[in-house]
Protein backbone atom coordinates (compact mmCIF):
# COMPACT_ATOMS: atom_id res chain seq x y z
CA UNK A 1 0.00 0.00 0.00
CA UNK A 2 2.80 2.40 0.86
CA UNK A 3 4.47 1.83 -2.50
CA UNK A 4 1.24 2.86 -4.22
CA UNK A 5 0.93 5.96 -2.04
CA UNK A 6 4.56 6.84 -2.51
CA UNK A 7 4.50 6.59 -6.31
CA UNK A 8 1.31 8.66 -6.61
CA UNK A 9 2.43 11.23 -4.05
CA UNK A 10 5.86 11.75 -5.58
CA UNK A 11 4.54 11.87 -9.16
CA UNK A 12 2.13 14.68 -8.27
CA UNK A 13 4.91 16.71 -6.63
CA UNK A 14 6.71 16.69 -9.97
CA UNK A 15 3.75 18.51 -11.57
CA UNK A 16 4.60 21.55 -9.44
CA UNK A 17 6.51 24.35 -11.15
CA UNK A 18 8.49 27.27 -9.77
CA UNK A 19 6.36 30.30 -9.01
CA UNK A 20 3.25 28.27 -8.18
CA UNK A 21 0.98 28.81 -5.20
CA UNK A 22 0.27 25.28 -4.06
CA UNK A 23 -2.48 23.86 -1.86
CA UNK A 24 -1.08 21.15 0.38
CA UNK A 25 -3.53 18.39 1.30
CA UNK A 26 -3.49 16.08 4.27
CA UNK A 27 -2.80 12.40 4.81
CA UNK A 28 -0.36 9.54 4.33
CA UNK A 29 -0.26 9.85 0.51
CA UNK A 30 0.31 13.61 0.56
CA UNK A 31 3.10 12.89 3.05
CA UNK A 32 5.13 11.59 0.07
CA UNK A 33 4.24 14.70 -1.94
CA UNK A 34 5.57 16.89 0.87
CA UNK A 35 8.78 14.85 1.07
CA UNK A 36 9.35 15.22 -2.69
CA UNK A 37 8.58 18.96 -2.62
CA UNK A 38 11.09 19.35 0.21
CA UNK A 39 13.68 17.47 -1.87
CA UNK A 40 13.01 19.65 -4.91
CA UNK A 41 13.23 22.89 -2.92
CA UNK A 42 16.55 21.85 -1.39
CA UNK A 43 17.97 20.15 -4.49
CA UNK A 44 16.88 22.18 -7.50
CA UNK A 45 15.83 25.49 -5.96
CA UNK A 46 12.10 25.01 -6.66
CA UNK A 47 10.37 28.20 -5.53
CA UNK A 48 6.80 27.77 -4.32
CA UNK A 49 4.51 28.98 -1.60
CA UNK A 50 2.11 26.52 0.02
CA UNK A 51 -1.23 26.77 1.81
CA UNK A 52 -1.64 23.80 4.19
CA UNK A 53 -5.03 22.15 4.80
CA UNK A 54 -4.32 21.03 8.38
CA UNK A 55 -2.17 21.69 11.39
CA UNK A 56 -0.41 18.35 10.73
CA UNK A 57 0.50 19.35 7.17
CA UNK A 58 1.57 22.80 8.33
CA UNK A 59 3.96 21.19 10.83
CA UNK A 60 5.38 18.66 8.37
CA UNK A 61 5.79 21.20 5.57
CA UNK A 62 7.57 23.61 7.92
CA UNK A 63 9.98 20.85 9.00
CA UNK A 64 10.69 20.08 5.34
CA UNK A 65 11.48 23.71 4.49
CA UNK A 66 8.38 24.36 2.36
CA UNK A 67 7.47 28.08 2.61
CA UNK A 68 3.87 28.58 3.73
CA UNK A 69 1.24 31.28 3.65
CA UNK A 70 -2.50 31.65 4.25
CA UNK A 71 -5.56 32.57 2.20
CA UNK A 72 -5.11 36.14 3.48
CA UNK A 73 -2.06 36.47 1.27
CA UNK A 74 -3.14 34.55 -1.84
CA UNK A 75 -6.43 34.92 -3.67
CA UNK A 76 -6.19 31.77 -5.76
CA UNK A 77 -4.00 28.70 -5.85
CA UNK A 78 -2.46 27.33 -9.04
CA UNK A 79 -2.42 23.69 -8.03
CA UNK A 80 -3.52 21.64 -5.04
CA UNK A 81 -2.44 18.09 -4.28
CA UNK A 82 -4.60 16.08 -1.92
CA UNK A 83 -5.60 12.51 -1.14
CA UNK A 84 -9.04 10.87 -1.05
CA UNK A 85 -10.76 8.03 0.76
CA UNK A 86 -12.87 7.05 -2.25
CA UNK A 87 -13.04 8.38 -5.81
CA UNK A 88 -15.49 7.32 -8.52
CA UNK A 89 -15.38 7.42 -12.32
CA UNK A 90 -16.68 11.01 -12.39
CA UNK A 91 -14.00 12.16 -9.92
CA UNK A 92 -16.58 12.54 -7.15
CA UNK A 93 -14.93 11.80 -3.82
CA UNK A 94 -15.30 11.02 -0.16
CA UNK A 95 -12.63 12.77 1.89
CA UNK A 96 -12.08 13.49 5.55
CA UNK A 97 -10.66 10.21 6.83
CA UNK A 98 -7.96 12.34 8.43
CA UNK A 99 -10.50 14.89 9.67
CA UNK A 100 -9.26 17.77 7.52
CA UNK A 101 -12.30 17.93 5.19
CA UNK A 102 -13.32 21.53 5.90
CA UNK A 103 -9.98 23.16 5.15
CA UNK A 104 -9.43 20.69 2.30
CA UNK A 105 -12.68 21.76 0.67
CA UNK A 106 -11.94 25.47 1.13
CA UNK A 107 -8.54 25.03 -0.50
CA UNK A 108 -9.99 22.82 -3.28
CA UNK A 109 -12.52 25.57 -4.02
CA UNK A 110 -9.75 28.20 -4.20
CA UNK A 111 -7.56 26.21 -6.59
CA UNK A 112 -7.40 26.23 -10.39
CA UNK A 113 -6.31 22.59 -10.67
CA UNK A 114 -6.89 19.89 -8.07
CA UNK A 115 -4.71 16.81 -8.29
CA UNK A 116 -5.85 13.77 -6.31
CA UNK A 117 -3.29 11.16 -5.27
CA UNK A 118 -4.53 7.67 -4.40
CA UNK A 119 -3.67 4.00 -4.44
CA UNK A 120 -5.80 1.89 -6.77
CA UNK A 121 -7.83 0.55 -3.82
CA UNK A 122 -9.54 3.94 -3.45
CA UNK A 123 -11.30 3.65 -6.83
CA UNK A 124 -14.99 2.78 -6.43
CA UNK A 125 -18.05 2.39 -8.62
CA UNK A 126 -20.31 4.07 -6.05
CA UNK A 127 -19.32 6.37 -3.17
CA UNK A 128 -20.02 5.20 0.36
CA UNK A 129 -19.53 1.51 -0.35
CA UNK A 130 -16.07 1.08 1.19
CA UNK A 131 -15.77 4.15 3.44
CA UNK A 132 -18.18 5.92 5.78
CA UNK A 133 -18.82 9.58 4.95
CA UNK A 134 -17.24 12.01 7.46
CA UNK A 135 -19.45 14.97 8.36
CA UNK A 136 -18.05 17.86 10.43
CA UNK A 137 -20.50 19.11 13.04
CA UNK A 138 -20.53 21.98 15.56
CA UNK A 139 -20.52 20.20 18.99
CA UNK A 140 -23.56 22.19 20.21
CA UNK A 141 -25.65 20.92 17.31
CA UNK A 142 -24.51 17.29 17.36
CA UNK A 143 -27.62 15.76 19.02
CA UNK A 144 -29.91 17.54 16.55
CA UNK A 145 -27.78 16.52 13.58
CA UNK A 146 -27.69 12.90 14.78
CA UNK A 147 -31.49 12.84 14.99
CA UNK A 148 -31.88 14.45 11.57
CA UNK A 149 -29.51 11.93 9.99
CA UNK A 150 -31.26 9.02 11.70
CA UNK A 151 -34.50 10.36 10.21
CA UNK A 152 -32.91 10.09 6.77
CA UNK A 153 -32.01 6.46 7.51
CA UNK A 154 -28.30 7.22 7.89
CA UNK A 155 -26.39 5.40 10.64
CA UNK A 156 -23.89 7.66 12.41
CA UNK A 157 -20.88 6.99 14.60
CA UNK A 158 -19.29 9.79 16.63
CA UNK A 159 -15.57 9.77 15.89
CA UNK A 160 -13.37 9.25 18.94
CA UNK A 161 -9.65 9.40 19.55
CA UNK A 162 -7.94 8.05 22.70
CA UNK A 163 -11.33 7.41 24.40
CA UNK A 164 -12.36 11.04 23.92
CA UNK A 165 -14.51 12.78 21.34
CA UNK A 166 -12.38 13.63 18.33
CA UNK A 167 -11.97 17.33 17.52
CA UNK A 168 -11.01 18.75 14.14
CA UNK A 169 -8.49 21.57 13.72
CA UNK A 170 -11.57 23.83 13.81
CA UNK A 171 -12.78 22.51 17.18
CA UNK A 172 -15.67 20.52 15.70
CA UNK A 173 -16.86 16.91 16.00
CA UNK A 174 -17.01 14.32 13.20
CA UNK A 175 -19.92 11.99 12.56
CA UNK A 176 -18.93 9.08 10.33
CA UNK A 177 -22.04 8.22 8.32
CA UNK A 178 -22.76 4.73 7.08
CA UNK A 179 -24.87 4.21 3.96
CA UNK A 180 -25.85 0.56 3.72
CA UNK A 181 -26.20 0.68 -0.09
CA UNK A 182 -23.72 3.47 -0.78
CA UNK A 183 -24.68 6.96 -2.00
CA UNK A 184 -26.76 6.80 -5.18
CA UNK A 185 -26.70 10.55 -5.90
CA UNK A 186 -23.75 12.24 -4.14
CA UNK A 187 -24.61 15.79 -5.34
CA UNK A 188 -28.18 15.52 -4.04
CA UNK A 189 -26.94 14.04 -0.77
CA UNK A 190 -24.45 16.90 -0.34
CA UNK A 191 -27.25 19.45 -0.82
CA UNK A 192 -29.49 17.57 1.62
CA UNK A 193 -26.81 17.40 4.32
CA UNK A 194 -25.68 21.01 3.82
CA UNK A 195 -29.26 22.12 4.58
CA UNK A 196 -29.06 20.77 8.15
CA UNK A 197 -27.97 23.51 10.58
CA UNK A 198 -24.93 22.52 12.60
CA UNK A 199 -23.31 20.59 9.76
CA UNK A 200 -20.28 22.67 8.89
CA UNK A 201 -19.10 20.57 5.96
CA UNK A 202 -19.41 17.10 4.49
CA UNK A 203 -16.68 14.91 3.06
CA UNK A 204 -18.47 14.77 -0.31
CA UNK A 205 -16.30 16.54 -2.89
CA UNK A 206 -18.24 17.00 -6.13
CA UNK A 207 -16.81 18.63 -9.26
CA UNK A 208 -13.64 19.72 -7.48
CA UNK A 209 -11.00 17.30 -8.87
CA UNK A 210 -9.34 17.69 -12.25
CA UNK A 211 -6.54 15.11 -12.30
CA UNK A 212 -6.30 11.76 -10.54
CA UNK A 213 -2.92 10.11 -10.05
CA UNK A 214 -3.34 6.43 -9.23
CA UNK A 215 -0.35 4.57 -7.82
CA UNK A 216 0.11 0.81 -7.64
CA UNK A 217 2.25 -1.62 -5.68
CA UNK A 218 4.73 -1.97 -8.56
CA UNK A 219 5.49 1.75 -8.33
CA UNK A 220 3.66 2.55 -11.59
CA UNK A 221 1.25 5.46 -11.91
CA UNK A 222 -1.79 5.97 -14.08
CA UNK A 223 -2.93 9.56 -14.67
CA UNK A 224 -6.57 10.31 -15.48
CA UNK A 225 -7.87 13.75 -16.41
CA UNK A 226 -11.42 15.01 -16.25
C1 LIG B 1 -7.91 13.88 5.23
C2 LIG B 1 -8.24 13.34 3.89
C3 LIG B 1 -7.21 12.50 3.23
O1 LIG B 1 -6.86 13.10 2.03
C4 LIG B 1 -7.79 11.13 3.01
O2 LIG B 1 -8.21 10.63 4.26
C5 LIG B 1 -6.77 10.20 2.37
O3 LIG B 1 -5.75 9.95 3.28
P1 LIG B 1 -4.59 8.89 2.99
O4 LIG B 1 -3.78 9.43 1.86
O5 LIG B 1 -3.84 8.82 4.32
O6 LIG B 1 -5.24 7.56 2.67
O7 LIG B 1 -9.28 13.58 3.33
O8 LIG B 1 -8.98 14.60 5.76
Amino acid sequence: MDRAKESAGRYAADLVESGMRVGLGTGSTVHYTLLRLGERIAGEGLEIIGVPTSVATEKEATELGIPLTTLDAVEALDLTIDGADEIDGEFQMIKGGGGALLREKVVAYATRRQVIVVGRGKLVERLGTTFDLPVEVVPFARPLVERELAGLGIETRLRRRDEREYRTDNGNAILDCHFSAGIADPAAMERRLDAIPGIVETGLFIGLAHICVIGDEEGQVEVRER
Side-chain angles (χ1 to χ4, degrees), residues 60-100:
E60 187 174 8
T62 302
E63 286 164 6
L64 289 166
I66 302 172
L68 298 178
T69 187
T70 67
L71 292 175
D72 284 319
V74 291
E75 240 174 68
L77 295 160
D78 300 295
L79 188 82
T80 290
I81 302 171
D82 204 350
D85 299 300
E86 285 186 345
I87 181 163
D88 72 11
E90 290 166 50
F91 286 17
Q92 303 181 110
M93 298 179 281
I94 286 184
K95 288 180 49 54

Side-chain angles (χ1 to χ4, degrees), residues 99-157:
L101 59 154
L102 173 57
R103 296 189 192 187
E104 288 174 336
K105 200 179 279 190
V106 171
V107 167
Y109 189 84
T111 202
R112 297 208 174 96
R113 277 205 308 164
Q114 175 90 353
V115 180
I116 298 300
V117 288
V118 289
R120 201 162 280 284
K122 303 281 187 74
L123 305 182
V124 295
E125 294 265 319
R126 175 182 279 202
L127 295 184
T129 46
T130 68
F131 201 87
D132 289 346
L133 174 69
V135 170
E136 182 159 349
V137 178
V138 173
F140 172 79
R142 179 178 60 78
L144 175 137
V145 172
E146 283 172 333
R147 288 192 285 270
E148 287 292 309
L149 295 178
L152 294 175
I154 302 167
E155 261 175 63
T156 59
R157 198 182 59 257

Side-chain angles (χ1 to χ4, degrees), residues 145-189:
V145 172
E146 283 172 333
R147 288 192 285 270
E148 287 292 309
L149 295 178
L152 294 175
I154 302 167
E155 261 175 63
T156 59
R157 198 182 59 257
L158 178 64
R159 193 178 292 187
R160 296 187 173 274
R161 182 186 279 172
D162 303 330
E163 312 284 308
R164 306 175 64 177
E165 267 188 40
Y166 175 85
R167 287 286 179 264
T168 67
D169 289 345
N170 318 297
N172 295 317
I174 297 266
L175 292 173
D176 289 299
C177 299
H178 182 69
F179 294 81
S180 47
I183 304 171
D185 185 343
M189 181 56 68

